[in-house]
Coordinates of all heavy atoms in Angstrom, one line a residue:
M1151 N 188.3 -12.0 -201.6 CA 188.4 -11.3 -202.9 C 187.0 -10.7 -203.2 O 186.0 -11.3 -202.9 CB 188.7 -12.4 -203.9 CG 188.5 -11.9 -205.4 SD 189.1 -13.0 -206.6 CE 190.8 -12.9 -206.4
K1152 N 187.0 -9.5 -203.8 CA 185.8 -8.9 -204.1 C 185.8 -8.7 -205.6 O 186.7 -8.2 -206.2 CB 185.7 -7.5 -203.4 CG 184.4 -6.7 -203.8 CD 184.4 -5.4 -203.1 CE 183.2 -4.6 -203.5 NZ 183.2 -3.3 -202.8
I1153 N 184.6 -9.1 -206.2 CA 184.4 -8.9 -207.7 C 183.1 -8.1 -207.9 O 182.1 -8.4 -207.2 CB 184.3 -10.3 -208.3 CG1 185.6 -11.1 -208.1 CG2 184.0 -10.2 -209.8 CD1 185.6 -12.5 -208.6
V1154 N 183.2 -7.2 -208.8 CA 182.0 -6.4 -209.1 C 181.5 -6.7 -210.5 O 182.4 -6.6 -211.5 CB 182.3 -4.9 -208.9 CG1 181.0 -4.1 -209.2 CG2 182.8 -4.6 -207.5
A1155 N 180.3 -7.0 -210.7 CA 179.7 -7.3 -212.0 C 178.9 -6.0 -212.4 O 178.0 -5.6 -211.6 CB 178.8 -8.5 -212.0
V1156 N 179.2 -5.4 -213.5 CA 178.7 -4.1 -213.9 C 177.9 -4.1 -215.2 O 178.3 -4.7 -216.2 CB 179.8 -3.1 -214.0 CG1 179.3 -1.7 -214.4 CG2 180.6 -3.0 -212.8
C1157 N 176.7 -3.5 -215.1 CA 175.9 -3.2 -216.3 C 175.3 -1.8 -216.2 O 175.7 -1.1 -215.3 CB 174.8 -4.2 -216.5 SG 173.4 -4.1 -215.4
G1158 N 174.5 -1.4 -217.1 CA 174.0 0.0 -217.1 C 173.1 0.3 -216.0 O 173.2 1.4 -215.4
M1159 N 172.2 -0.6 -215.6 CA 171.2 -0.3 -214.5 C 171.5 -1.1 -213.2 O 170.9 -0.8 -212.2 CB 169.8 -0.7 -215.0 CG 169.3 0.1 -216.2 SD 169.2 1.9 -215.9 CE 167.8 1.9 -214.9
G1160 N 172.3 -2.1 -213.3 CA 172.7 -2.9 -212.1 C 171.6 -3.8 -211.6 O 171.6 -4.3 -210.5
I1161 N 170.6 -4.1 -212.4 CA 169.5 -4.9 -212.0 C 169.2 -6.1 -212.9 O 168.4 -7.0 -212.6 CB 168.2 -4.1 -211.8 CG1 167.8 -3.4 -213.0 CG2 168.3 -3.2 -210.6 CD1 166.5 -2.7 -212.9
G1162 N 169.8 -6.1 -214.1 CA 169.5 -7.1 -215.1 C 170.7 -7.9 -215.5 O 170.9 -9.0 -214.8
T1163 N 171.4 -7.4 -216.4 CA 172.5 -8.2 -216.9 C 173.7 -8.3 -215.9 O 174.4 -9.3 -215.9 CB 173.1 -7.7 -218.2 OG1 173.3 -6.3 -218.1 CG2 172.1 -7.9 -219.4
S1164 N 173.8 -7.4 -215.0 CA 174.9 -7.5 -214.0 C 174.5 -8.6 -213.0 O 175.4 -9.3 -212.5 CB 175.2 -6.1 -213.3 OG 174.0 -5.7 -212.6
V1165 N 173.3 -8.7 -212.7 CA 172.8 -9.8 -211.8 C 173.0 -11.1 -212.4 O 173.5 -12.1 -211.8 CB 171.4 -9.6 -211.3 CG1 170.9 -10.8 -210.5 CG2 171.2 -8.3 -210.6
L1166 N 172.7 -11.2 -213.7 CA 173.0 -12.5 -214.5 C 174.5 -12.8 -214.5 O 174.9 -13.9 -214.2 CB 172.5 -12.3 -215.9 CG 172.9 -13.5 -216.8 CD1 172.1 -14.7 -216.5 CD2 172.6 -13.1 -218.3
L1167 N 175.3 -11.8 -214.7 CA 176.8 -12.0 -214.7 C 177.3 -12.3 -213.3 O 178.1 -13.2 -213.2 CB 177.4 -10.7 -215.2 CG 179.0 -10.7 -215.3 CD1 179.4 -11.9 -216.2 CD2 179.5 -9.4 -215.9
K1168 N 176.7 -11.7 -212.3 CA 177.1 -12.1 -210.9 C 176.8 -13.5 -210.6 O 177.6 -14.3 -210.1 CB 176.3 -11.2 -210.0 CG 176.4 -11.5 -208.5 CD 175.4 -10.7 -207.7 CE 175.4 -11.0 -206.2 NZ 175.1 -12.3 -205.8
M1169 N 175.6 -14.0 -211.0 CA 175.2 -15.4 -210.8 C 176.1 -16.3 -211.5 O 176.5 -17.4 -211.0 CB 173.7 -15.6 -211.1 CG 172.8 -14.8 -210.2 SD 171.0 -14.9 -210.6 CE 170.8 -16.1 -211.8
N1170 N 176.4 -16.0 -212.8 CA 177.3 -16.9 -213.6 C 178.7 -16.9 -213.1 O 179.4 -17.9 -213.0 CB 177.2 -16.6 -215.0 CG 175.9 -17.1 -215.7 OD1 175.3 -18.0 -215.1 ND2 175.5 -16.5 -216.8
A1171 N 179.2 -15.7 -212.6 CA 180.5 -15.7 -212.0 C 180.6 -16.5 -210.7 O 181.6 -17.2 -210.5 CB 180.9 -14.2 -211.8
E1172 N 179.5 -16.4 -209.9 CA 179.5 -17.2 -208.7 C 179.5 -18.7 -209.0 O 180.2 -19.4 -208.3 CB 178.3 -16.8 -207.9 CG 178.4 -15.4 -207.2 CD 177.1 -15.0 -206.6 OE1 176.0 -15.4 -207.0 OE2 177.2 -14.1 -205.7
K1173 N 178.8 -19.1 -210.0 CA 178.7 -20.5 -210.4 C 180.1 -20.9 -210.8 O 180.6 -22.0 -210.4 CB 177.8 -20.6 -211.6 CG 177.4 -22.0 -211.9 CD 176.4 -22.1 -213.1 CE 175.1 -21.4 -212.8 NZ 174.1 -21.5 -213.9
V1174 N 180.8 -20.1 -211.6 CA 182.2 -20.4 -212.1 C 183.1 -20.5 -210.9 O 184.0 -21.4 -210.8 CB 182.7 -19.4 -213.1 CG1 184.1 -19.5 -213.4 CG2 181.9 -19.6 -214.5
L1175 N 183.0 -19.5 -210.0 CA 184.0 -19.5 -208.9 C 183.8 -20.7 -208.0 O 184.7 -21.2 -207.4 CB 183.8 -18.2 -208.1 CG 184.2 -16.9 -208.8 CD1 183.6 -15.7 -208.2 CD2 185.7 -16.8 -208.9
R1176 N 182.5 -21.1 -207.8 CA 182.3 -22.3 -207.0 C 182.9 -23.5 -207.7 O 183.6 -24.4 -207.0 CB 180.8 -22.6 -206.9 CG 180.1 -21.9 -205.7 CD 178.7 -22.4 -205.4 NE 177.8 -22.4 -206.6 CZ 177.1 -21.3 -207.0 NH1 177.1 -20.2 -206.3 NH2 176.3 -21.4 -208.0
T1177 N 182.8 -23.6 -209.0 CA 183.4 -24.7 -209.7 C 185.0 -24.7 -209.6 O 185.6 -25.7 -209.4 CB 183.1 -24.6 -211.2 OG1 181.7 -24.7 -211.3 CG2 183.7 -25.8 -212.0
L1178 N 185.5 -23.5 -209.5 CA 187.0 -23.3 -209.4 C 187.4 -23.5 -208.0 O 188.6 -23.5 -207.7 CB 187.4 -22.0 -210.0 CG 187.2 -21.8 -211.5 CD1 187.5 -20.3 -211.9 CD2 188.0 -22.8 -212.3
G1179 N 186.5 -23.5 -207.0 CA 186.9 -23.5 -205.6 C 187.4 -22.2 -205.1 O 188.2 -22.2 -204.1
V1180 N 187.0 -21.1 -205.6 CA 187.5 -19.8 -205.2 C 186.4 -19.1 -204.4 O 185.2 -19.0 -204.8 CB 187.8 -18.9 -206.5 CG1 188.2 -17.5 -206.0 CG2 188.9 -19.6 -207.3
D1181 N 186.8 -18.6 -203.2 CA 185.9 -17.9 -202.3 C 186.0 -16.4 -202.7 O 187.0 -15.8 -202.5 CB 186.3 -18.2 -200.9 CG 185.3 -17.5 -199.9 OD1 184.1 -17.4 -200.2 OD2 185.8 -17.1 -198.8
A1182 N 184.9 -15.9 -203.1 CA 184.8 -14.5 -203.5 C 183.5 -13.9 -203.2 O 182.5 -14.6 -203.2 CB 185.2 -14.3 -204.9
D1183 N 183.4 -12.6 -202.9 CA 182.2 -11.8 -202.8 C 181.9 -11.1 -204.1 O 182.7 -10.3 -204.5 CB 182.4 -10.8 -201.6 CG 181.1 -10.0 -201.4 OD1 180.0 -10.5 -201.7 OD2 181.3 -8.9 -200.9
V1184 N 180.9 -11.6 -204.8 CA 180.5 -11.0 -206.1 C 179.3 -10.1 -205.9 O 178.3 -10.5 -205.4 CB 180.2 -12.1 -207.1 CG1 180.0 -11.4 -208.5 CG2 181.4 -13.1 -207.2
E1185 N 179.4 -8.8 -206.3 CA 178.3 -7.9 -206.2 C 177.9 -7.3 -207.6 O 178.8 -7.1 -208.4 CB 178.8 -6.7 -205.3 CG 179.1 -7.1 -203.9 CD 179.5 -5.9 -203.0 OE1 179.1 -4.8 -203.3 OE2 180.3 -6.2 -202.1
A1186 N 176.7 -7.1 -207.8 CA 176.2 -6.5 -209.0 C 176.1 -5.0 -208.8 O 175.7 -4.5 -207.7 CB 174.8 -7.0 -209.4
A1187 N 176.4 -4.2 -209.8 CA 176.3 -2.7 -209.7 C 176.0 -2.1 -211.0 O 176.2 -2.7 -212.1 CB 177.7 -2.2 -209.2
D1188 N 175.4 -0.9 -210.9 CA 175.2 -0.1 -212.2 C 176.5 0.7 -212.4 O 177.3 0.9 -211.5 CB 174.0 0.7 -212.0 CG 174.1 1.8 -211.0 OD1 174.8 2.8 -211.2 OD2 173.5 1.6 -209.9
I1189 N 176.5 1.2 -213.6 CA 177.7 2.0 -214.0 C 177.9 3.2 -213.1 O 179.1 3.6 -212.9 CB 177.7 2.3 -215.5 CG1 179.1 2.8 -216.0 CG2 176.6 3.3 -215.8 CD1 180.2 1.8 -215.9
G1190 N 176.9 3.8 -212.6 CA 177.0 5.0 -211.8 C 177.7 4.8 -210.5 O 178.4 5.7 -210.0
V1191 N 177.6 3.6 -209.9 CA 178.3 3.3 -208.6 C 179.5 2.4 -208.8 O 180.2 2.1 -207.8 CB 177.3 2.7 -207.5 CG1 176.2 3.7 -207.2 CG2 176.8 1.4 -208.0
A1192 N 179.7 1.9 -210.0 CA 180.7 0.9 -210.2 C 182.1 1.4 -209.9 O 182.9 0.7 -209.3 CB 180.7 0.4 -211.6
R1193 N 182.4 2.6 -210.2 CA 183.8 3.1 -210.0 C 184.1 3.2 -208.5 O 185.2 2.8 -208.1 CB 183.9 4.5 -210.6 CG 185.3 5.1 -210.5 CD 185.5 6.4 -211.1 NE 185.3 6.2 -212.5 CZ 185.2 7.3 -213.4 NH1 185.3 8.5 -212.9 NH2 185.0 7.1 -214.6
G1194 N 183.1 3.6 -207.7 CA 183.3 3.6 -206.2 C 183.5 2.2 -205.7 O 184.4 1.9 -204.8
M1195 N 182.7 1.3 -206.2 CA 182.7 -0.1 -205.7 C 184.0 -0.8 -206.1 O 184.5 -1.7 -205.5 CB 181.5 -0.9 -206.2 CG 180.2 -0.5 -205.5 SD 178.8 -1.4 -206.1 CE 179.1 -3.0 -205.4
A1196 N 184.6 -0.4 -207.3 CA 185.8 -1.0 -207.8 C 187.0 -0.6 -207.1 O 188.1 -1.2 -207.2 CB 185.9 -0.6 -209.3
R1197 N 186.9 0.5 -206.2 CA 188.1 0.9 -205.5 C 188.7 -0.1 -204.6 O 189.9 -0.1 -204.3 CB 187.8 2.2 -204.8 CG 187.6 3.4 -205.7 CD 187.6 4.7 -204.9 NE 187.4 5.8 -205.9 CZ 186.4 6.7 -205.8 NH1 185.6 6.6 -204.8 NH2 186.3 7.6 -206.7
D1198 N 187.8 -0.9 -204.0 CA 188.3 -1.9 -203.1 C 188.1 -3.4 -203.6 O 188.1 -4.3 -202.9 CB 187.7 -1.8 -201.7 CG 186.2 -1.9 -201.6 OD1 185.6 -1.9 -202.7 OD2 185.7 -2.2 -200.5
A1199 N 187.8 -3.4 -204.9 CA 187.6 -4.8 -205.5 C 188.9 -5.2 -206.2 O 189.7 -4.3 -206.5 CB 186.5 -4.7 -206.6
Q1200 N 189.0 -6.5 -206.5 CA 190.2 -7.0 -207.2 C 189.8 -7.1 -208.7 O 190.7 -7.0 -209.5 CB 190.6 -8.3 -206.6 CG 191.3 -8.2 -205.3 CD 190.4 -7.8 -204.1 OE1 189.3 -8.4 -204.0 NE2 190.8 -6.8 -203.4
I1201 N 188.6 -7.4 -209.0 CA 188.2 -7.7 -210.4 C 186.8 -7.0 -210.6 O 185.9 -7.0 -209.8 CB 188.1 -9.2 -210.6 CG1 189.4 -9.9 -210.5 CG2 187.5 -9.5 -212.0 CD1 189.4 -11.4 -210.6
V1202 N 186.7 -6.4 -211.8 CA 185.4 -5.9 -212.3 C 185.1 -6.6 -213.6 O 185.9 -6.7 -214.5 CB 185.5 -4.4 -212.6 CG1 184.2 -3.9 -213.3 CG2 185.8 -3.6 -211.4
L1203 N 183.9 -7.2 -213.6 CA 183.4 -7.9 -214.8 C 182.4 -7.0 -215.5 O 181.4 -6.5 -214.8 CB 182.8 -9.2 -214.5 CG 183.7 -10.2 -213.8 CD1 182.8 -11.4 -213.3 CD2 184.8 -10.7 -214.7
T1204 N 182.5 -6.7 -216.8 CA 181.6 -5.9 -217.5 C 181.6 -6.1 -219.0 O 182.4 -6.9 -219.5 CB 181.8 -4.4 -217.2 OG1 180.7 -3.6 -217.6 CG2 183.1 -3.9 -217.8
S1205 N 180.8 -5.4 -219.7 CA 180.8 -5.5 -221.2 C 181.8 -4.5 -221.7 O 182.2 -3.5 -221.1 CB 179.4 -5.2 -221.7 OG 179.0 -3.9 -221.4
E1206 N 182.1 -4.6 -223.0 CA 183.0 -3.6 -223.7 C 182.4 -2.2 -223.6 O 183.1 -1.3 -223.4 CB 183.1 -4.1 -225.2 CG 184.0 -3.2 -226.0 CD 185.5 -3.4 -225.6 OE1 185.9 -4.5 -225.4 OE2 186.2 -2.4 -225.6
E1207 N 181.1 -2.1 -223.7 CA 180.4 -0.9 -223.7 C 180.7 -0.1 -222.4 O 180.8 1.2 -222.4 CB 178.8 -1.1 -223.7 CG 178.0 0.1 -223.6 CD 176.5 -0.3 -223.6 OE1 176.2 -1.5 -223.6 OE2 175.7 0.6 -223.6
F1208 N 180.8 -0.7 -221.3 CA 181.0 0.0 -220.0 C 182.4 0.0 -219.5 O 182.7 0.7 -218.5 CB 180.1 -0.6 -218.9 CG 178.6 -0.4 -219.3 CD1 177.8 -1.5 -219.5 CD2 178.1 0.9 -219.3 CE1 176.5 -1.3 -219.9 CE2 176.7 1.1 -219.7 CZ 175.9 0.0 -219.9
A1209 N 183.3 -0.8 -220.1 CA 184.7 -0.9 -219.6 C 185.4 0.4 -219.5 O 186.0 0.8 -218.5 CB 185.4 -1.9 -220.4
S1210 N 185.2 1.2 -220.6 CA 185.9 2.5 -220.6 C 185.3 3.5 -219.6 O 186.0 4.4 -219.1 CB 186.0 3.1 -222.0 OG 184.7 3.3 -222.4
E1211 N 184.0 3.3 -219.3 CA 183.3 4.3 -218.4 C 183.7 4.1 -216.9 O 183.5 4.9 -216.1 CB 181.8 4.1 -218.6 CG 181.3 4.6 -219.9 CD 179.8 4.6 -220.0 OE1 179.2 5.0 -219.0 OE2 179.3 4.3 -221.0
I1212 N 184.2 2.9 -216.6 CA 184.7 2.6 -215.3 C 185.9 3.4 -214.9 O 186.0 3.9 -213.8 CB 184.9 1.1 -215.1 CG1 183.6 0.4 -215.2 CG2 185.6 0.8 -213.7 CD1 183.7 -1.1 -215.3
G1213 N 186.7 3.7 -215.9 CA 187.8 4.6 -215.7 C 189.0 3.9 -215.0 O 189.1 2.7 -215.1
D1214 N 189.9 4.7 -214.4 CA 191.1 4.2 -213.8 C 190.8 3.8 -212.4 O 190.7 4.6 -211.5 CB 192.2 5.4 -213.8 CG 193.5 4.9 -213.4 OD1 193.8 3.6 -213.5 OD2 194.3 5.7 -212.9
V1215 N 190.7 2.5 -212.2 CA 190.5 1.9 -210.9 C 191.6 0.9 -210.6 O 192.2 0.3 -211.6 CB 189.1 1.2 -210.8 CG1 188.0 2.3 -210.9 CG2 188.9 0.2 -211.9
P1216 N 191.9 0.6 -209.4 CA 192.9 -0.4 -209.1 C 192.5 -1.8 -209.4 O 193.4 -2.7 -209.6 CB 193.1 -0.3 -207.6 CG 191.9 0.4 -207.0 CD 191.4 1.2 -208.2
A1217 N 191.2 -2.1 -209.6 CA 190.8 -3.5 -209.9 C 191.1 -3.8 -211.4 O 191.1 -2.9 -212.2 CB 189.3 -3.6 -209.7
Q1218 N 191.2 -5.1 -211.6 CA 191.4 -5.5 -213.0 C 190.1 -5.6 -213.7 O 189.1 -6.2 -213.2 CB 192.1 -6.9 -213.1 CG 192.3 -7.4 -214.5 CD 193.0 -8.7 -214.5 OE1 193.4 -9.3 -213.4 NE2 193.2 -9.3 -215.6
V1219 N 189.9 -4.8 -214.8 CA 188.6 -4.8 -215.5 C 188.7 -5.8 -216.6 O 189.5 -5.8 -217.5 CB 188.4 -3.4 -216.1 CG1 187.1 -3.4 -216.9 CG2 188.3 -2.3 -215.0
I1220 N 187.7 -6.8 -216.5 CA 187.6 -7.9 -217.5 C 186.4 -7.7 -218.3 O 185.3 -7.6 -217.8 CB 187.6 -9.2 -216.8 CG1 188.9 -9.4 -216.0 CG2 187.4 -10.4 -217.8 CD1 188.9 -10.7 -215.1
V1221 N 186.5 -7.6 -219.6 CA 185.4 -7.5 -220.5 C 184.9 -8.9 -220.9 O 185.6 -9.8 -221.3 CB 185.8 -6.8 -221.9 CG1 184.7 -6.8 -222.9 CG2 186.2 -5.4 -221.6
I1222 N 183.6 -9.1 -220.6 CA 182.9 -10.4 -220.9 C 182.0 -10.1 -222.1 O 181.1 -9.2 -222.1 CB 182.0 -10.9 -219.7 CG1 182.9 -11.1 -218.5 CG2 181.3 -12.1 -220.1 CD1 184.0 -12.1 -218.6
D1223 N 182.2 -10.8 -223.2 CA 181.5 -10.6 -224.4 C 180.1 -11.2 -224.4 O 179.1 -10.6 -224.9 CB 182.2 -11.2 -225.6 CG 183.5 -10.5 -225.8 OD1 183.6 -9.3 -225.8 OD2 184.6 -11.2 -226.0
N1224 N 180.0 -12.4 -223.7 CA 178.7 -13.1 -223.6 C 178.4 -13.5 -222.2 O 179.1 -14.4 -221.7 CB 178.7 -14.3 -224.5 CG 177.3 -15.0 -224.5 OD1 176.5 -14.8 -223.7 ND2 177.2 -16.0 -225.4
F1225 N 177.5 -12.8 -221.5 CA 177.3 -13.0 -220.1 C 176.7 -14.4 -219.8 O 176.7 -14.8 -218.7 CB 176.4 -11.9 -219.5 CG 177.0 -10.6 -219.4 CD1 178.2 -10.3 -219.9 CD2 176.3 -9.6 -218.7 CE1 178.8 -9.0 -219.8 CE2 176.8 -8.3 -218.6 CZ 178.1 -8.0 -219.1
F1226 N 176.2 -15.1 -220.8 CA 175.7 -16.4 -220.7 C 176.7 -17.5 -220.8 O 176.5 -18.7 -220.5 CB 174.5 -16.7 -221.7 CG 173.3 -15.8 -221.4 CD1 173.1 -14.7 -222.2 CD2 172.4 -16.2 -220.5 CE1 172.0 -13.9 -221.9 CE2 171.2 -15.5 -220.3 CZ 171.1 -14.3 -221.0
D1227 N 177.9 -17.1 -221.4 CA 178.9 -18.1 -221.7 C 179.8 -18.4 -220.5 O 180.8 -17.7 -220.2 CB 179.7 -17.6 -222.9 CG 180.7 -18.6 -223.4 OD1 180.9 -19.7 -222.8 OD2 181.3 -18.3 -224.5
L1228 N 179.5 -19.5 -219.8 CA 180.3 -19.9 -218.6 C 181.7 -20.3 -219.0 O 182.6 -20.0 -218.2 CB 179.6 -21.1 -217.9 CG 178.2 -20.8 -217.3 CD1 177.7 -22.1 -216.7 CD2 178.2 -19.7 -216.4
E1229 N 181.9 -20.8 -220.2 CA 183.3 -21.1 -220.6 C 184.1 -19.8 -220.8 O 185.3 -19.8 -220.3 CB 183.3 -21.9 -221.9 CG 184.6 -22.4 -222.3 CD 184.5 -23.4 -223.5 OE1 183.6 -24.2 -223.6 OE2 185.4 -23.2 -224.4
E1230 N 183.6 -18.8 -221.4 CA 184.3 -17.5 -221.5 C 184.6 -16.9 -220.1 O 185.7 -16.5 -219.8 CB 183.5 -16.5 -222.3 CG 184.2 -15.2 -222.4 CD 183.3 -14.1 -223.0 OE1 182.1 -14.3 -223.3 OE2 183.8 -12.9 -223.1
I1231 N 183.6 -16.9 -219.2 CA 183.8 -16.4 -217.9 C 184.9 -17.2 -217.1 O 185.7 -16.6 -216.5 CB 182.4 -16.4 -217.1 CG1 181.4 -15.4 -217.8 CG2 182.7 -16.0 -215.7 CD1 180.0 -15.6 -217.3
T1232 N 184.8 -18.5 -217.3 CA 185.8 -19.4 -216.6 C 187.2 -19.0 -217.1 O 188.1 -18.8 -216.3 CB 185.5 -20.8 -216.9 OG1 184.2 -21.2 -216.4 CG2 186.5 -21.7 -216.2
T1233 N 187.4 -19.0 -218.4 CA 188.7 -18.7 -219.0 C 189.2 -17.4 -218.6 O 190.4 -17.3 -218.1 CB 188.6 -18.7 -220.6 OG1 188.1 -20.0 -221.0 CG2 189.9 -18.4 -221.2
K1234 N 188.4 -16.3 -218.6 CA 188.9 -15.0 -218.3 C 189.1 -14.8 -216.7 O 190.1 -14.2 -216.3 CB 187.9 -14.0 -218.8 CG 188.0 -13.9 -220.3 CD 187.1 -12.9 -220.9 CE 187.3 -12.8 -222.4 NZ 186.4 -11.8 -223.1
L1235 N 188.3 -15.5 -215.9 CA 188.5 -15.4 -214.5 C 189.7 -16.2 -214.1 O 190.5 -15.7 -213.3 CB 187.3 -15.9 -213.7 CG 186.2 -14.9 -213.5 CD1 185.0 -15.6 -212.8 CD2 186.7 -13.7 -212.6
K1236 N 189.9 -17.4 -214.7 CA 191.1 -18.2 -214.3 C 192.4 -17.4 -214.7 O 193.4 -17.4 -213.9 CB 191.1 -19.5 -215.1 CG 190.2 -20.5 -214.5 CD 190.1 -21.7 -215.4 CE 191.1 -22.8 -215.0 NZ 190.9 -24.1 -215.8
A1237 N 192.4 -16.7 -215.8 CA 193.6 -15.9 -216.2 C 193.8 -14.7 -215.2 O 195.0 -14.3 -215.0 CB 193.4 -15.3 -217.6
A1238 N 192.8 -14.2 -214.6 CA 192.9 -13.1 -213.7 C 193.1 -13.4 -212.2 O 193.6 -12.6 -211.4 CB 191.6 -12.2 -213.8
L1239 N 192.8 -14.7 -211.8 CA 192.9 -15.1 -210.4 C 194.4 -15.3 -210.1 O 195.1 -15.9 -210.9 CB 192.1 -16.3 -210.2 CG 190.6 -16.1 -210.3 CD1 189.9 -17.5 -210.2 CD2 190.1 -15.2 -209.2
P1240 N 194.7 -14.9 -208.9 CA 196.1 -15.3 -208.4 C 196.3 -16.8 -208.3 O 195.3 -17.5 -208.0 CB 196.2 -14.6 -207.1 CG 194.8 -14.3 -206.6 CD 194.0 -14.3 -207.8
E1241 N 197.5 -17.2 -208.6 CA 197.7 -18.7 -208.5 C 198.1 -19.1 -207.1 O 198.5 -18.4 -206.3 CB 198.8 -19.1 -209.5 CG 198.4 -18.8 -210.9 CD 199.4 -19.3 -211.9 OE1 200.2 -20.2 -211.6 OE2 199.4 -18.8 -213.0

């Protein structure tokens, strides 16, 4: 499974989101490749990803991609990330 964490520059908040998503996925026992990206390359990276994690600000800019785009309101909130990832993961 490939997950892309997206922010404006791909070096700050997306890396934080990537790290927190990896932490949540480890807790859930899910094996996934999580990559951080800036909004400029996110659409291309999302073509072969299953999930895109981003903020409300960038969700519409990602456009029409086959990946499920999940808006995370608070990148520090592991409970929110857990809830939203669990809902998106295949059972």
